[in-house]
Amino acid sequence: MKKILQDRVNSLALTIALICLLASIAFPSNFPTFENLSQLLLNLSIDTIVAVGMMLLLISGMFDLSVGSIVAFTGGLAAHLMFHYNVPVPIALVAGIGSALLIGWVNGYLIAYMGINPMIQTLAMMGIVRGGALLVAGAGIQNLPYWFNAIGQSKLLGIQMPVWYMLLTVVVFTFLVNKTVFFRRYYYIGGNEKAADLSGIRVKRMKMYAFVLSALLAGIAGILLSSRLGAAMSTLGRGLELRVITAVILGGASLSGGVGKIPGALLGALFTGIIANIMVIARISGLWQEMIMGVILILAVLLDLYVQKRSRA
């Protein structure tokens, strides 16, 4: 299975390289420019940060449909506190991230300890948190403090900071998943939950932690997105959960759990980001873009089913 997963990741990397080559030939004055590529990385930075948390969940055999709403709510709450109550930026950030942790804990507790199906629980939480985002952000909040906007708008080596935060997240979680016993346990849980429980792994607690970590990364992404835009809106993050699930499945995760690598989340997000970027350059209608991304999701699931069957053969 490990060899199949590695071949899958390598194939995705080669596919991305081939698509970039073809796009550079087809759109030489638009696609291969520094401005476009840096903007492409900036656009997918939020998706990738959230995808890292989703990859961890899928490795353990679960997923979270509320991450897009968490992105909107955390940024909206921080902006609401700063704009309406003049709360200092650090305290507003702590409040926003803290709310994400609380949402993740509620999801994890109800799923792990109360036995609620992850799809039902996170789908319900998606609606609840989206409503909360509408309450705190309303039609939108602008004119946010300079130091808040600087988090997402400042640059290093000509590239905006969210891209560097994205790379840091991937590097840190790659190390944690590959080198620490705690995170390696998620592979055992996703591979065989009953066996993991019998071996002494506290499965329920680990599952709850996975949802907390996923929500934490979604909360950080929400802060970065609002900071980058200089505004908070209740509509931020709509459809993010489907893009992220598509990315992590393309990147080697399985809906059945037990497999996946953190760099695969980056590659999957990069693939979907490049496709979206090319469609914009080619001036393809937004309606067609939605349909194409839906087709990619279906193909990703079919690929996952094929890999599962091949691994059993």
Side-chain angles (χ1 to χ4, degrees):
M1 188 65 182
K2 288 183 178 180
K3 184 179 185 303
I4 295 174
L5 174 60
Q6 188 60 52
D7 290 344
R8 187 170 163 185
V9 172
N10 292 340
S11 297
L12 179 59
L14 290 174
T15 301
I16 290 172
L18 179 60
I19 291 174
C20 288
L21 176 62
L22 294 175
S24 298
I25 295 172
F27 308 103
S29 59
N30 299 104
F31 182 80
T33 64
F34 175 80
E35 291 76 12
N36 180 63
L37 295 179
S38 59
Q39 186 63 43
L40 188 158
L41 291 174
L42 179 62
N43 289 339
L44 65 86
S45 61
I46 301 301
D47 285 20
T48 303
I49 292 172
V50 179
V52 169
M54 191 68 75
M55 178 65 82
L56 188 63
L57 281 174
L58 281 175
I59 288 173
S60 59
M62 303 174 292
F63 57 88
D64 187 350
L65 296 176
S66 66
V67 289
S69 297
I70 294 174
V71 166
F73 181 74
T74 52
L77 178 60
H80 181 85
L81 293 174
M82 290 182 291
F83 185 81
H84 293 287
Y85 298 101
N86 293 319
V87 172
V89 172
I91 297 177
L93 295 179
V94 170
I97 299 300
S99 68
L101 291 172
L102 178 60
I103 294 167
W105 180 85
V106 171
N107 275 337
Y109 181 82
L110 293 178
I111 290 169
Y113 289 94
M114 303 305 291
I116 298 179
N117 182 279
M119 185 182 73
I120 301 300
Q121 170 58 36
T122 59
L123 184 62
M125 187 62 77
M126 177 175 70
I128 294 169
V129 177
R130 182 65 64 180
L134 183 60
L135 286 174
V136 296
I141 301 175
Q142 299 179 354
N143 300 320
L144 298 175
Y146 168 81
W147 289 112
F148 177 77
N149 293 339
I151 295 172
Q153 295 178 11
S154 56
K155 293 184 178 182
L156 177 63
L157 302 177
I159 299 174
Q160 281 189 247
M161 289 306 297
V163 176
W164 298 108
Y165 297 137
M166 170 191 74
L167 295 175
L168 178 63
T169 301
V170 171
V171 170
V172 169
F173 275 86
T174 296
F175 173 81
L176 291 174
V177 171
N178 290 343
K179 301 298 183 180
T180 65
V181 174
F182 178 88
F183 282 90
R184 295 295 298 177
R185 290 171 181 164
Y186 284 112
Y187 286 99
Y188 301 119
I189 294 172
N192 191 324
E193 184 175 323
K194 289 185 178 180
D197 189 40
L198 291 173
S199 68
I201 296 175
R202 296 182 176 180
V203 172
K204 292 181 179 180
R205 183 177 296 183
M206 293 292 294
K207 290 168 73 172
M208 186 177 71
Y209 288 158
F211 278 98
V212 171
L213 284 171
S214 176
L216 171 64
L217 291 175
I220 292 172
I223 295 293
L224 288 174
L225 183 56
S226 293
S227 172
R228 181 191 122 197
L229 298 175
M233 293 173 282
S234 61
T235 56
L236 294 179
R238 284 198 183 277
L240 174 64
E241 52 283 327
L242 296 182
R243 294 199 307 272
V244 166
I245 290 174
T246 301
V248 294
I249 293 176
L250 286 170
S254 172
L255 291 172
S256 62
V259 295
K261 292 185 176 181
I262 297 301
L266 174 59
L267 287 174
L270 184 59
F271 177 84
T272 56
I274 289 172
I275 296 297
N277 182 259
I278 292 172
M279 288 192 292
V280 170
I281 293 174
R283 298 182 180 180
I284 295 176
S285 168
L287 297 176
W288 283 102
Q289 291 183 33
E290 292 287 339
M291 294 173 64
I292 291 171
M293 296 308 294
V295 169
I296 291 175
L297 175 58
I298 294 174
L299 293 175
V301 173
L302 291 174
L303 175 62
D304 176 46
L305 293 173
Y306 170 75
V307 171
Q308 289 183 47
K309 290 180 180 179
R310 185 180 170 188
S311 65
R312 298 191 193 104

PDB file of all heavy atoms in Angstrom, residues 99-135:
ATOM      1  N   SER A  99     -12.224  30.357  19.617  1.00  0.00           N
ATOM      2  CA  SER A  99     -13.540  29.906  19.155  1.00  0.00           C
ATOM      3  C   SER A  99     -13.408  28.705  18.230  1.00  0.00           C
ATOM      4  O   SER A  99     -14.221  27.777  18.270  1.00  0.00           O
ATOM      5  CB  SER A  99     -14.263  31.052  18.441  1.00  0.00           C
ATOM      6  OG  SER A  99     -13.634  31.384  17.205  1.00  0.00           O
ATOM      7  N   ALA A 100     -12.362  28.693  17.403  1.00  0.00           N
ATOM      8  CA  ALA A 100     -12.127  27.548  16.517  1.00  0.00           C
ATOM      9  C   ALA A 100     -11.821  26.297  17.333  1.00  0.00           C
ATOM     10  O   ALA A 100     -12.330  25.201  17.033  1.00  0.00           O
ATOM     11  CB  ALA A 100     -10.982  27.857  15.557  1.00  0.00           C
ATOM     12  N   LEU A 101     -10.997  26.431  18.359  1.00  0.00           N
ATOM     13  CA  LEU A 101     -10.680  25.293  19.220  1.00  0.00           C
ATOM     14  C   LEU A 101     -11.935  24.746  19.894  1.00  0.00           C
ATOM     15  O   LEU A 101     -12.110  23.518  20.008  1.00  0.00           O
ATOM     16  CB  LEU A 101      -9.661  25.706  20.277  1.00  0.00           C
ATOM     17  CG  LEU A 101      -8.244  26.015  19.774  1.00  0.00           C
ATOM     18  CD1 LEU A 101      -7.400  26.593  20.906  1.00  0.00           C
ATOM     19  CD2 LEU A 101      -7.582  24.754  19.224  1.00  0.00           C
ATOM     20  N   LEU A 102     -12.814  25.652  20.336  1.00  0.00           N
ATOM     21  CA  LEU A 102     -14.050  25.223  20.989  1.00  0.00           C
ATOM     22  C   LEU A 102     -14.948  24.456  20.021  1.00  0.00           C
ATOM     23  O   LEU A 102     -15.510  23.414  20.365  1.00  0.00           O
ATOM     24  CB  LEU A 102     -14.797  26.443  21.541  1.00  0.00           C
ATOM     25  CG  LEU A 102     -16.149  26.154  22.211  1.00  0.00           C
ATOM     26  CD1 LEU A 102     -15.958  25.213  23.407  1.00  0.00           C
ATOM     27  CD2 LEU A 102     -16.819  27.456  22.653  1.00  0.00           C
ATOM     28  N   ILE A 103     -15.064  24.964  18.797  1.00  0.00           N
ATOM     29  CA  ILE A 103     -15.870  24.275  17.786  1.00  0.00           C
ATOM     30  C   ILE A 103     -15.299  22.890  17.499  1.00  0.00           C
ATOM     31  O   ILE A 103     -16.036  21.899  17.411  1.00  0.00           O
ATOM     32  CB  ILE A 103     -15.932  25.110  16.495  1.00  0.00           C
ATOM     33  CG1 ILE A 103     -16.685  26.419  16.748  1.00  0.00           C
ATOM     34  CG2 ILE A 103     -16.606  24.326  15.370  1.00  0.00           C
ATOM     35  CD1 ILE A 103     -16.534  27.435  15.625  1.00  0.00           C
ATOM     36  N   GLY A 104     -13.978  22.810  17.363  1.00  0.00           N
ATOM     37  CA  GLY A 104     -13.340  21.524  17.118  1.00  0.00           C
ATOM     38  C   GLY A 104     -13.547  20.560  18.270  1.00  0.00           C
ATOM     39  O   GLY A 104     -13.778  19.359  18.053  1.00  0.00           O
ATOM     40  N   TRP A 105     -13.487  21.084  19.503  1.00  0.00           N
ATOM     41  CA  TRP A 105     -13.703  20.230  20.669  1.00  0.00           C
ATOM     42  C   TRP A 105     -15.128  19.695  20.705  1.00  0.00           C
ATOM     43  O   TRP A 105     -15.341  18.504  20.990  1.00  0.00           O
ATOM     44  CB  TRP A 105     -13.419  21.016  21.953  1.00  0.00           C
ATOM     45  CG  TRP A 105     -13.617  20.181  23.194  1.00  0.00           C
ATOM     46  CD1 TRP A 105     -12.710  19.340  23.767  1.00  0.00           C
ATOM     47  CD2 TRP A 105     -14.816  20.094  23.977  1.00  0.00           C
ATOM     48  NE1 TRP A 105     -13.267  18.737  24.867  1.00  0.00           N
ATOM     49  CE2 TRP A 105     -14.549  19.170  25.029  1.00  0.00           C
ATOM     50  CE3 TRP A 105     -16.063  20.708  23.900  1.00  0.00           C
ATOM     51  CZ2 TRP A 105     -15.501  18.853  25.988  1.00  0.00           C
ATOM     52  CZ3 TRP A 105     -17.024  20.384  24.850  1.00  0.00           C
ATOM     53  CH2 TRP A 105     -16.745  19.469  25.890  1.00  0.00           C
ATOM     54  N   VAL A 106     -16.101  20.541  20.407  1.00  0.00           N
ATOM     55  CA  VAL A 106     -17.505  20.093  20.391  1.00  0.00           C
ATOM     56  C   VAL A 106     -17.700  19.013  19.331  1.00  0.00           C
ATOM     57  O   VAL A 106     -18.317  17.962  19.593  1.00  0.00           O
ATOM     58  CB  VAL A 106     -18.455  21.279  20.133  1.00  0.00           C
ATOM     59  CG1 VAL A 106     -19.887  20.791  19.906  1.00  0.00           C
ATOM     60  CG2 VAL A 106     -18.415  22.253  21.303  1.00  0.00           C
ATOM     61  N   ASN A 107     -17.179  19.268  18.127  1.00  0.00           N
ATOM     62  CA  ASN A 107     -17.268  18.250  17.071  1.00  0.00           C
ATOM     63  C   ASN A 107     -16.640  16.939  17.515  1.00  0.00           C
ATOM     64  O   ASN A 107     -17.232  15.863  17.398  1.00  0.00           O
ATOM     65  CB  ASN A 107     -16.571  18.732  15.797  1.00  0.00           C
ATOM     66  CG  ASN A 107     -17.460  19.591  14.921  1.00  0.00           C
ATOM     67  OD1 ASN A 107     -18.685  19.516  14.987  1.00  0.00           O
ATOM     68  ND2 ASN A 107     -16.845  20.417  14.105  1.00  0.00           N
ATOM     69  N   GLY A 108     -15.409  17.029  18.023  1.00  0.00           N
ATOM     70  CA  GLY A 108     -14.680  15.831  18.415  1.00  0.00           C
ATOM     71  C   GLY A 108     -15.342  15.084  19.552  1.00  0.00           C
ATOM     72  O   GLY A 108     -15.420  13.846  19.536  1.00  0.00           O
ATOM     73  N   TYR A 109     -15.846  15.810  20.539  1.00  0.00           N
ATOM     74  CA  TYR A 109     -16.477  15.153  21.691  1.00  0.00           C
ATOM     75  C   TYR A 109     -17.753  14.431  21.286  1.00  0.00           C
ATOM     76  O   TYR A 109     -17.975  13.271  21.664  1.00  0.00           O
ATOM     77  CB  TYR A 109     -16.787  16.190  22.776  1.00  0.00           C
ATOM     78  CG  TYR A 109     -17.417  15.573  24.007  1.00  0.00           C
ATOM     79  CD1 TYR A 109     -16.620  14.969  24.981  1.00  0.00           C
ATOM     80  CD2 TYR A 109     -18.805  15.578  24.190  1.00  0.00           C
ATOM     81  CE1 TYR A 109     -17.193  14.385  26.107  1.00  0.00           C
ATOM     82  CE2 TYR A 109     -19.381  14.994  25.309  1.00  0.00           C
ATOM     83  CZ  TYR A 109     -18.570  14.401  26.257  1.00  0.00           C
ATOM     84  OH  TYR A 109     -19.135  13.814  27.356  1.00  0.00           O
ATOM     85  N   LEU A 110     -18.597  15.104  20.512  1.00  0.00           N
ATOM     86  CA  LEU A 110     -19.869  14.495  20.117  1.00  0.00           C
ATOM     87  C   LEU A 110     -19.663  13.304  19.186  1.00  0.00           C
ATOM     88  O   LEU A 110     -20.425  12.339  19.213  1.00  0.00           O
ATOM     89  CB  LEU A 110     -20.771  15.540  19.456  1.00  0.00           C
ATOM     90  CG  LEU A 110     -21.277  16.659  20.373  1.00  0.00           C
ATOM     91  CD1 LEU A 110     -22.126  17.663  19.594  1.00  0.00           C
ATOM     92  CD2 LEU A 110     -22.082  16.083  21.535  1.00  0.00           C
ATOM     93  N   ILE A 111     -18.625  13.367  18.353  1.00  0.00           N
ATOM     94  CA  ILE A 111     -18.350  12.263  17.431  1.00  0.00           C
ATOM     95  C   ILE A 111     -17.657  11.107  18.146  1.00  0.00           C
ATOM     96  O   ILE A 111     -18.064   9.947  18.015  1.00  0.00           O
ATOM     97  CB  ILE A 111     -17.497  12.761  16.251  1.00  0.00           C
ATOM     98  CG1 ILE A 111     -18.335  13.690  15.360  1.00  0.00           C
ATOM     99  CG2 ILE A 111     -16.956  11.587  15.432  1.00  0.00           C
ATOM    100  CD1 ILE A 111     -17.526  14.442  14.331  1.00  0.00           C
ATOM    101  N   ALA A 112     -16.611  11.424  18.910  1.00  0.00           N
ATOM    102  CA  ALA A 112     -15.808  10.368  19.533  1.00  0.00           C
ATOM    103  C   ALA A 112     -16.490   9.744  20.747  1.00  0.00           C
ATOM    104  O   ALA A 112     -16.478   8.516  20.910  1.00  0.00           O
ATOM    105  CB  ALA A 112     -14.438  10.936  19.931  1.00  0.00           C
ATOM    106  N   TYR A 113     -17.085  10.578  21.594  1.00  0.00           N
ATOM    107  CA  TYR A 113     -17.629  10.076  22.848  1.00  0.00           C
ATOM    108  C   TYR A 113     -19.133   9.805  22.810  1.00  0.00           C
ATOM    109  O   TYR A 113     -19.619   8.924  23.521  1.00  0.00           O
ATOM    110  CB  TYR A 113     -17.321  11.052  23.981  1.00  0.00           C
ATOM    111  CG  TYR A 113     -15.866  11.070  24.372  1.00  0.00           C
ATOM    112  CD1 TYR A 113     -14.984  11.994  23.824  1.00  0.00           C
ATOM    113  CD2 TYR A 113     -15.356  10.155  25.286  1.00  0.00           C
ATOM    114  CE1 TYR A 113     -13.641  12.012  24.177  1.00  0.00           C
ATOM    115  CE2 TYR A 113     -14.013  10.164  25.651  1.00  0.00           C
ATOM    116  CZ  TYR A 113     -13.168  11.097  25.085  1.00  0.00           C
ATOM    117  OH  TYR A 113     -11.841  11.102  25.440  1.00  0.00           O
ATOM    118  N   MET A 114     -19.865  10.562  21.990  1.00  0.00           N
ATOM    119  CA  MET A 114     -21.315  10.375  21.922  1.00  0.00           C
ATOM    120  C   MET A 114     -21.741   9.518  20.738  1.00  0.00           C
ATOM    121  O   MET A 114     -22.895   9.110  20.634  1.00  0.00           O
ATOM    122  CB  MET A 114     -22.011  11.733  21.862  1.00  0.00           C
ATOM    123  CG  MET A 114     -21.689  12.662  23.018  1.00  0.00           C
ATOM    124  SD  MET A 114     -22.028  11.923  24.651  1.00  0.00           S
ATOM    125  CE  MET A 114     -23.808  11.845  24.600  1.00  0.00           C
ATOM    126  N   GLY A 115     -20.811   9.258  19.816  1.00  0.00           N
ATOM    127  CA  GLY A 115     -21.090   8.348  18.724  1.00  0.00           C
ATOM    128  C   GLY A 115     -21.861   8.924  17.554  1.00  0.00           C
ATOM    129  O   GLY A 115     -22.378   8.177  16.716  1.00  0.00           O
ATOM    130  N   ILE A 116     -21.932  10.257  17.441  1.00  0.00           N
ATOM    131  CA  ILE A 116     -22.623  10.868  16.308  1.00  0.00           C
ATOM    132  C   ILE A 116     -21.793  10.683  15.043  1.00  0.00           C
ATOM    133  O   ILE A 116     -20.563  10.818  15.066  1.00  0.00           O
ATOM    134  CB  ILE A 116     -22.892  12.369  16.565  1.00  0.00           C
ATOM    135  CG1 ILE A 116     -23.804  12.545  17.783  1.00  0.00           C
ATOM    136  CG2 ILE A 116     -23.521  13.031  15.342  1.00  0.00           C
ATOM    137  CD1 ILE A 116     -24.104  13.992  18.123  1.00  0.00           C
ATOM    138  N   ASN A 117     -22.459  10.376  13.942  1.00  0.00           N
ATOM    139  CA  ASN A 117     -21.769  10.200  12.670  1.00  0.00           C
ATOM    140  C   ASN A 117     -21.043  11.489  12.283  1.00  0.00           C
ATOM    141  O   ASN A 117     -21.625  12.572  12.364  1.00  0.00           O
ATOM    142  CB  ASN A 117     -22.783   9.819  11.589  1.00  0.00           C
ATOM    143  CG  ASN A 117     -22.142   9.579  10.247  1.00  0.00           C
ATOM    144  OD1 ASN A 117     -21.855  10.522   9.521  1.00  0.00           O
ATOM    145  ND2 ASN A 117     -21.926   8.330   9.909  1.00  0.00           N
ATOM    146  N   PRO A 118     -19.754  11.415  11.853  1.00  0.00           N
ATOM    147  CA  PRO A 118     -19.005  12.632  11.515  1.00  0.00           C
ATOM    148  C   PRO A 118     -19.678  13.494  10.451  1.00  0.00           C
ATOM    149  O   PRO A 118     -19.643  14.724  10.542  1.00  0.00           O
ATOM    150  CB  PRO A 118     -17.664  12.082  11.011  1.00  0.00           C
ATOM    151  CG  PRO A 118     -17.526  10.761  11.680  1.00  0.00           C
ATOM    152  CD  PRO A 118     -18.916  10.209  11.777  1.00  0.00           C
ATOM    153  N   MET A 119     -20.296  12.878   9.439  1.00  0.00           N
ATOM    154  CA  MET A 119     -20.946  13.660   8.398  1.00  0.00           C
ATOM    155  C   MET A 119     -22.121  14.447   8.961  1.00  0.00           C
ATOM    156  O   MET A 119     -22.279  15.646   8.685  1.00  0.00           O
ATOM    157  CB  MET A 119     -21.423  12.752   7.258  1.00  0.00           C
ATOM    158  CG  MET A 119     -22.008  13.545   6.097  1.00  0.00           C
ATOM    159  SD  MET A 119     -22.637  12.514   4.745  1.00  0.00           S
ATOM    160  CE  MET A 119     -24.136  11.880   5.513  1.00  0.00           C
ATOM    161  N   ILE A 120     -22.954  13.795   9.782  1.00  0.00           N
ATOM    162  CA  ILE A 120     -24.118  14.468  10.360  1.00  0.00           C
ATOM    163  C   ILE A 120     -23.689  15.585  11.297  1.00  0.00           C
ATOM    164  O   ILE A 120     -24.203  16.715  11.233  1.00  0.00           O
ATOM    165  CB  ILE A 120     -25.010  13.457  11.109  1.00  0.00           C
ATOM    166  CG1 ILE A 120     -25.494  12.356  10.165  1.00  0.00           C
ATOM    167  CG2 ILE A 120     -26.186  14.168  11.762  1.00  0.00           C
ATOM    168  CD1 ILE A 120     -26.310  12.850   8.996  1.00  0.00           C
ATOM    169  N   GLN A 121     -22.740  15.284  12.182  1.00  0.00           N
ATOM    170  CA  GLN A 121     -22.300  16.273  13.164  1.00  0.00           C
ATOM    171  C   GLN A 121     -21.662  17.489  12.507  1.00  0.00           C
ATOM    172  O   GLN A 121     -22.002  18.628  12.824  1.00  0.00           O
ATOM    173  CB  GLN A 121     -21.312  15.628  14.151  1.00  0.00           C
ATOM    174  CG  GLN A 121     -20.608  16.615  15.074  1.00  0.00           C
ATOM    175  CD  GLN A 121     -21.570  17.430  15.910  1.00  0.00           C
ATOM    176  OE1 GLN A 121     -22.597  16.926  16.336  1.00  0.00           O
ATOM    177  NE2 GLN A 121     -21.246  18.695  16.143  1.00  0.00           N
ATOM    178  N   THR A 122     -20.727  17.258  11.604  1.00  0.00           N
ATOM    179  CA  THR A 122     -20.017  18.397  11.001  1.00  0.00           C
ATOM    180  C   THR A 122     -20.898  19.145  10.003  1.00  0.00           C
ATOM    181  O   THR A 122     -20.710  20.341   9.794  1.00  0.00           O
ATOM    182  CB  THR A 122     -18.713  17.934  10.327  1.00  0.00           C
ATOM    183  OG1 THR A 122     -18.994  16.955   9.318  1.00  0.00           O
ATOM    184  CG2 THR A 122     -17.768  17.331  11.359  1.00  0.00           C
ATOM    185  N   LEU A 123     -21.859  18.452   9.389  1.00  0.00           N
ATOM    186  CA  LEU A 123     -22.809  19.142   8.517  1.00  0.00           C
ATOM    187  C   LEU A 123     -23.697  20.070   9.332  1.00  0.00           C
ATOM    188  O   LEU A 123     -23.957  21.219   8.931  1.00  0.00           O
ATOM    189  CB  LEU A 123     -23.662  18.122   7.757  1.00  0.00           C
ATOM    190  CG  LEU A 123     -24.649  18.684   6.714  1.00  0.00           C
ATOM    191  CD1 LEU A 123     -23.895  19.416   5.605  1.00  0.00           C
ATOM    192  CD2 LEU A 123     -25.508  17.573   6.137  1.00  0.00           C
ATOM    193  N   ALA A 124     -24.157  19.588  10.491  1.00  0.00           N
ATOM    194  CA  ALA A 124     -24.954  20.436  11.385  1.00  0.00           C
ATOM    195  C   ALA A 124     -24.130  21.607  11.900  1.00  0.00           C
ATOM    196  O   ALA A 124     -24.601  22.755  11.934  1.00  0.00           O
ATOM    197  CB  ALA A 124     -25.485  19.603  12.550  1.00  0.00           C
ATOM    198  N   MET A 125     -22.873  21.325  12.277  1.00  0.00           N
ATOM    199  CA  MET A 125     -22.003  22.393  12.778  1.00  0.00           C
ATOM    200  C   MET A 125     -21.701  23.401  11.682  1.00  0.00           C
ATOM    201  O   MET A 125     -21.554  24.605  11.967  1.00  0.00           O
ATOM    202  CB  MET A 125     -20.707  21.786  13.323  1.00  0.00           C
ATOM    203  CG  MET A 125     -19.800  22.793  14.015  1.00  0.00           C
ATOM    204  SD  MET A 125     -20.569  23.567  15.472  1.00  0.00           S
ATOM    205  CE  MET A 125     -20.405  22.241  16.674  1.00  0.00           C
ATOM    206  N   MET A 126     -21.618  22.946  10.448  1.00  0.00           N
ATOM    207  CA  MET A 126     -21.389  23.863   9.330  1.00  0.00           C
ATOM    208  C   MET A 126     -22.484  24.922   9.283  1.00  0.00           C
ATOM    209  O   MET A 126     -22.203  26.115   9.131  1.00  0.00           O
ATOM    210  CB  MET A 126     -21.346  23.086   8.014  1.00  0.00           C
ATOM    211  CG  MET A 126     -21.180  23.963   6.778  1.00  0.00           C
ATOM    212  SD  MET A 126     -20.996  23.009   5.235  1.00  0.00           S
ATOM    213  CE  MET A 126     -22.661  22.348   5.061  1.00  0.00           C
ATOM    214  N   GLY A 127     -23.745  24.500   9.429  1.00  0.00           N
ATOM    215  CA  GLY A 127     -24.846  25.447   9.406  1.00  0.00           C
ATOM    216  C   GLY A 127     -24.853  26.358  10.623  1.00  0.00           C
ATOM    217  O   GLY A 127     -25.091  27.570  10.511  1.00  0.00           O
ATOM    218  N   ILE A 128     -24.576  25.791  11.787  1.00  0.00           N
ATOM    219  CA  ILE A 128     -24.574  26.582  13.021  1.00  0.00           C
ATOM    220  C   ILE A 128     -23.501  27.667  12.977  1.00  0.00           C
ATOM    221  O   ILE A 128     -23.745  28.845  13.278  1.00  0.00           O
ATOM    222  CB  ILE A 128     -24.358  25.670  14.243  1.00  0.00           C
ATOM    223  CG1 ILE A 128     -25.557  24.730  14.423  1.00  0.00           C
ATOM    224  CG2 ILE A 128     -24.134  26.502  15.509  1.00  0.00           C
ATOM    225  CD1 ILE A 128     -25.310  23.631  15.441  1.00  0.00           C
ATOM    226  N   VAL A 129     -22.295  27.262  12.599  1.00  0.00           N
ATOM    227  CA  VAL A 129     -21.173  28.209  12.590  1.00  0.00           C
ATOM    228  C   VAL A 129     -21.327  29.231  11.472  1.00  0.00           C
ATOM    229  O   VAL A 129     -20.962  30.401  11.631  1.00  0.00           O
ATOM    230  CB  VAL A 129     -19.835  27.448  12.466  1.00  0.00           C
ATOM    231  CG1 VAL A 129     -18.669  28.411  12.391  1.00  0.00           C
ATOM    232  CG2 VAL A 129     -19.654  26.513  13.648  1.00  0.00           C
ATOM    233  N   ARG A 130     -21.906  28.816  10.330  1.00  0.00           N
ATOM    234  CA  ARG A 130     -22.145  29.778   9.249  1.00  0.00           C
ATOM    235  C   ARG A 130     -23.131  30.841   9.711  1.00  0.00           C
ATOM    236  O   ARG A 130     -22.989  32.028   9.396  1.00  0.00           O
ATOM    237  CB  ARG A 130     -22.669  29.060   8.007  1.00  0.00           C
ATOM    238  CG  ARG A 130     -22.912  29.963   6.807  1.00  0.00           C
ATOM    239  CD  ARG A 130     -21.636  30.586   6.269  1.00  0.00           C
ATOM    240  NE  ARG A 130     -20.716  29.596   5.745  1.00  0.00           N
ATOM    241  CZ  ARG A 130     -19.529  29.903   5.207  1.00  0.00           C
ATOM    242  NH1 ARG A 130     -19.112  31.157   5.159  1.00  0.00           N
ATOM    243  NH2 ARG A 130     -18.736  28.948   4.745  1.00  0.00           N
ATOM    244  N   GLY A 131     -24.149  30.430  10.468  1.00  0.00           N
ATOM    245  CA  GLY A 131     -25.076  31.400  11.046  1.00  0.00           C
ATOM    246  C   GLY A 131     -24.370  32.325  12.017  1.00  0.00           C
ATOM    247  O   GLY A 131     -24.645  33.537  12.055  1.00  0.00           O
ATOM    248  N   GLY A 132     -23.431  31.767  12.803  1.00  0.00           N
ATOM    249  CA  GLY A 132     -22.651  32.594  13.719  1.00  0.00           C
ATOM    250  C   GLY A 132     -21.793  33.595  12.975  1.00  0.00           C
ATOM    251  O   GLY A 132     -21.641  34.754  13.412  1.00  0.00           O
ATOM    252  N   ALA A 133     -21.245  33.179  11.843  1.00  0.00           N
ATOM    253  CA  ALA A 133     -20.434  34.092  11.025  1.00  0.00           C
ATOM    254  C   ALA A 133     -21.284  35.245  10.508  1.00  0.00           C
ATOM    255  O   ALA A 133     -20.829  36.392  10.449  1.00  0.00           O
ATOM    256  CB  ALA A 133     -19.809  33.329   9.856  1.00  0.00           C
ATOM    257  N   LEU A 134     -22.523  34.951  10.146  1.00  0.00           N
ATOM    258  CA  LEU A 134     -23.430  36.005   9.674  1.00  0.00           C
ATOM    259  C   LEU A 134     -23.752  36.986  10.797  1.00  0.00           C
ATOM    260  O   LEU A 134     -23.849  38.199  10.570  1.00  0.00           O
ATOM    261  CB  LEU A 134     -24.709  35.377   9.129  1.00  0.00           C
ATOM    262  CG  LEU A 134     -25.744  36.337   8.533  1.00  0.00           C
ATOM    263  CD1 LEU A 134     -25.154  37.108   7.358  1.00  0.00           C
ATOM    264  CD2 LEU A 134     -26.990  35.571   8.083  1.00  0.00           C
ATOM    265  N   LEU A 135     -23.866  36.470  12.018  1.00  0.00           N
ATOM    266  CA  LEU A 135     -24.169  37.342  13.158  1.00  0.00           C
ATOM    267  C   LEU A 135     -23.008  38.283  13.467  1.00  0.00           C
ATOM    268  O   LEU A 135     -23.225  39.469  13.748  1.00  0.00           O
ATOM    269  CB  LEU A 135     -24.481  36.489  14.391  1.00  0.00           C
ATOM    270  CG  LEU A 135     -25.837  35.784  14.422  1.00  0.00           C
ATOM    271  CD1 LEU A 135     -25.931  34.871  15.641  1.00  0.00           C
ATOM    272  CD2 LEU A 135     -26.976  36.802  14.442  1.00  0.00           C
TER     273      LEU A 135
END
